[in-house]
Amino acid sequence: MLLKELLQTAGKYEISGSDEIEINGIEIDSRKIKDGNAFIAIRGTQADGHDYISKAIELGAKAIICEKLPETTIEGITYAIFSDTEDAVGKIATTFYGNPTEKLDLVGVTGTNGKTTIATLLYNMFRAFGYKAGLISTVCNYIDGEAIPTEHTTPDPITLNQLLGKMADEGCKYAFMEVSSHSVAQKRIGGLKFAGGIFTNLTRDHLDYHKTVENYLKAKKAFFDGLPKTAFALTNADDKNGMVMVQNTKAKVATYSLRTMADFKGKVLEDGFEGMLLDINNTEVNVQFIGRFNAYNLLAVYGAASLLGKKPEDILLQLSTLKPVSGRFDSLRSPEGYTAIVDYAHTPDALTNVLDAIHDVLKGRGKVITVVGAGGNRDKGKRPIMAKESVRQSDKVIITSDNPRFEEPQDIINDMLAGLNKDEMKKVVAITDRKEAIRTACMMASQGDVILIAGKGHENYQDIKGVKYHFDDKEIVRDIFSN
C-alpha cells in the first residue's frame, strides 16, 4: 500500500521525503520491523518509541511515523510527523488491514466485571446460530473456531486490526470484543467502527493506571461517546453509572435490569449450584449459570442478540444451552461432599458478587472458606478492601499469593491484612504458597461447605519476577480431590 494512502486517513501531518513509496507492513515495536515496513513511534507508559527510530531503520524501515523529527535524518527514509501518533496509529492500522469493521458487525463490551463472559457467550451463541464469528477476549482470541493466544484484554491497534482483518477475510459476519479502559485511554480502538457497545458495571479497578475512579469512568464513557448513530448502546440500568455512560452517545440506547423497568427485564426465580431459572421479558428459561451477577450477564447477552436482530425465542433456546466461561464460577465437587469454586474475581465488587451467589445457594447450610490474594504492581488501594470483603462473607479466609509480579508476596499480603481489625483477624490465616493455601482450605472443608478460590480463574500461570510459572487453580483442586 502507498504510504500516502495510509497517512491520509489519520489526520494532519507534515512530510519529509516521498509519501509515494510502497509500504508492506506497519509496526509499533521496533524489534518486529522487516524490510519495507513503516515504524510508528509512540510515547508509551513504559518506553518512548522515538528512542528506537534508528533501530527500526537498521532493520529495514522505509518510513518513520513520529511526533518529532529526529535530530539526524537518513537520506531515502520518509518521515511523517503527526501531533499525536497514539491517536494516528489505530486509523493507520485499520486502513492498512482493509477497514475490517466495514465488513463485519463488531460489538464491544466494557465495564469492570462481566466483559469476558458476555463477549464469549455472544460469540458462542452466534456461532450456534450458524454464523462465522470472531472473539477478542482476556482468555483467548478466536477467528471462528481457530484459537489465537492472547496477552492483553484488548490488543495493540496493529494486532487488533490484523485479527479483525483475518476475521473479515475468513468470512466472519460478527466479532465480539472486550474493550478495556486502557484500550480506550490509549486509543487502541481508534479507527474501528462498532455496531454496538455494552456496559456491564463500574467499580474500583485499575487505579494504578487511571489514578481516580472519575478518570476510569471517563475512559469507559469515551467508548460510548464515540459510537456512531447506526450502533446500539446497551447499558445496565441498575448500575449507578449505567445512564451516565450513554448520556452523550449518538447510538440507539437500550437498557437491561433485574430491579427496574427496562427494555430487557429479568428476574431470578430459582437458583442452585447446577443453574438458575430466569424470567426474561416474561418468559421463563433454565440456564447453566449461578448467581445474580450472571443473571445480569445473560440479560446483556439477550439484549445484544435482540438488538442484532435475533428472535426472542431463538435467543432463549441458545441461552439454555450455553455453558459458563472457563475460570468464571467453575464448580468442582469433592468426593467428601464439599464444593470448590474457581473464579477470576480480582476486584472487591467481583468478590462480593461471587460470595453473594454462594450464599444465595447455600442459605446458611454450610461454611464458606475463601482463598484470596491480590496482584502485584497494580492498584494497592483495593487490597485491604478485598480482604475485608472476604472476611465479611466467609467463615474462614486464607490470604495468599496471586500474581506478585515484581513485588514480594508477603508485602502484598501485609497490605491486605492492614485492612482488618483484631476480631476480623481471628478468621484469617496467611499462607504465602498458593498451592499450600488451596490444600489447607480443602483440609478445613466438610460435607456441604464451599471453598472459593478467587483471583486467577482461567489463568494457568503465576507471574513472579517477570517469569510466568505454570500454575492452575483447577488443576491443583482436581489433584487434591483425586488423592
Side-chain angles (χ1 to χ4, degrees), residues 317-368:
L317 181 63
Q318 291 303 330
L319 279 184
S320 70
T321 66
L322 290 172
K323 290 180 167 46
V325 176
S326 173
R328 270 61 176 179
F329 218 98
D330 267 358
S331 180
L332 299 96
R333 187 86 168 162
S334 81
E336 288 78 22
Y338 63 85
T339 301
I341 290 167
V342 174
D343 194 273
Y344 189 53
H346 62 285
T347 66
D349 183 61
L351 264 178
T352 301
N353 287 338
V354 174
L355 286 164
D356 280 347
I358 291 168
H359 283 292
D360 285 347
V361 176
L362 272 182
K363 294 182 170 60
R365 294 190 297 264
K367 298 196 303 293
V368 177

Side-chain angles (χ1 to χ4, degrees), residues 116 166 225 252 273 363-364 419:
T116 302
K166 284 180 183 173
D225 291 351
K252 176 193 170 188
F273 283 127
K363 294 182 170 60

Side-chain angles (χ1 to χ4, degrees), residues 196-460:
I198 302 168
F199 173 69
T200 62
N201 48 58
L202 190 130
T203 58
R204 182 190 179 113
D205 200 14
H206 302 305
L207 296 199
D208 52 306
Y209 178 81
H210 296 288
K211 307 305 178 193
T212 67
V213 173
E214 187 184 3
N215 288 344
Y216 180 45
L217 183 149
K218 282 179 180 174
K220 300 283 188 193
K221 184 177 177 296
F223 169 59
F224 293 95
D225 291 351
L227 290 176
K229 280 183 186 177
T230 52
F232 66 80
L234 177 61
T235 191
N236 180 357
D238 293 346
D239 187 279
K240 65 181 180 180
N241 296 299
M243 300 317 293
V244 174
M245 286 291 147
V246 296
Q247 66 187 12
N248 300 117
T249 190
K250 296 185 283 292
K252 176 193 170 188
V253 175
T255 55
Y256 64 97
S257 168
L258 288 177
R259 297 202 305 256
T260 188
M261 291 297 292
D263 298 292
F264 307 105
K265 180 78 168 67
K267 187 178 182 182
V268 180
L269 301 176
E270 295 173 15
D271 58 5
F273 283 127
E274 293 75 39
M276 291 184 287
L277 176 64
L278 297 180
D279 179 297
I280 297 179
N281 281 4
N282 300 315
T283 304
E284 291 183 9
V285 59
N286 275 299
V287 297
Q288 301 172 55
F289 292 79
I290 307 158
R292 286 176 66 81
F293 68 99
N294 268 323
Y296 278 107
N297 292 337
L298 293 169
L299 267 180
V301 170
Y302 178 91
S306 297
L307 293 163
L308 288 168
K310 299 297 123 194
K311 292 177 182 175
E313 58 270 28
D314 293 338
I315 302 168
L316 291 170
L317 181 63
Q318 291 303 330
L319 279 184
S320 70
T321 66
L322 290 172
K323 290 180 167 46
V325 176
S326 173
R328 270 61 176 179
F329 218 98
D330 267 358
S331 180
L332 299 96
R333 187 86 168 162
S334 81
E336 288 78 22
Y338 63 85
T339 301
I341 290 167
V342 174
D343 194 273
Y344 189 53
H346 62 285
T347 66
D349 183 61
L351 264 178
T352 301
N353 287 338
V354 174
L355 286 164
D356 280 347
I358 291 168
H359 283 292
D360 285 347
V361 176
L362 272 182
K363 294 182 170 60
R365 294 190 297 264
K367 298 196 303 293
V368 177
I369 302 162
T370 298
V371 179
V372 65
N377 304 107
R378 297 291 187 270
D379 179 12
K380 291 186 177 186
K382 71 181 181 184
R383 293 174 185 175
I385 304 170
M386 288 176 71
K388 205 166 189 71
E389 184 55 26
S390 300
V391 168
R392 185 179 74 81
Q393 294 219 63
S394 308
D395 297 281
K396 201 78 183 173
V397 176
I398 302 173
I399 293 181
T400 188
S401 180
D402 189 293
N403 286 320
R405 298 185 177 91
F406 291 96
E407 285 192 72
E408 291 302 320
Q410 192 59 50
D411 291 344
I412 300 169
I413 290 169
N414 292 342
D415 285 345
M416 295 183 79
L417 296 174
L420 305 175
N421 62 35
K422 199 173 176 182
D423 285 337
E424 288 167 332
M425 284 294 291
K426 291 174 184 173
K427 283 188 179 183
V428 177
V429 178
I431 300 173
T432 308
D433 185 311
R434 190 175 179 92
K435 185 174 182 178
E436 197 53 44
I438 294 169
R439 192 179 299 283
T440 302
C442 292
M443 287 168 65
M444 290 177 175
S446 306
Q447 185 173 354
D449 293 347
V450 174
I451 299 168
L452 170 62
I453 303 164
K456 291 180 60 59
H458 64 280
E459 292 177 352
N460 60 359

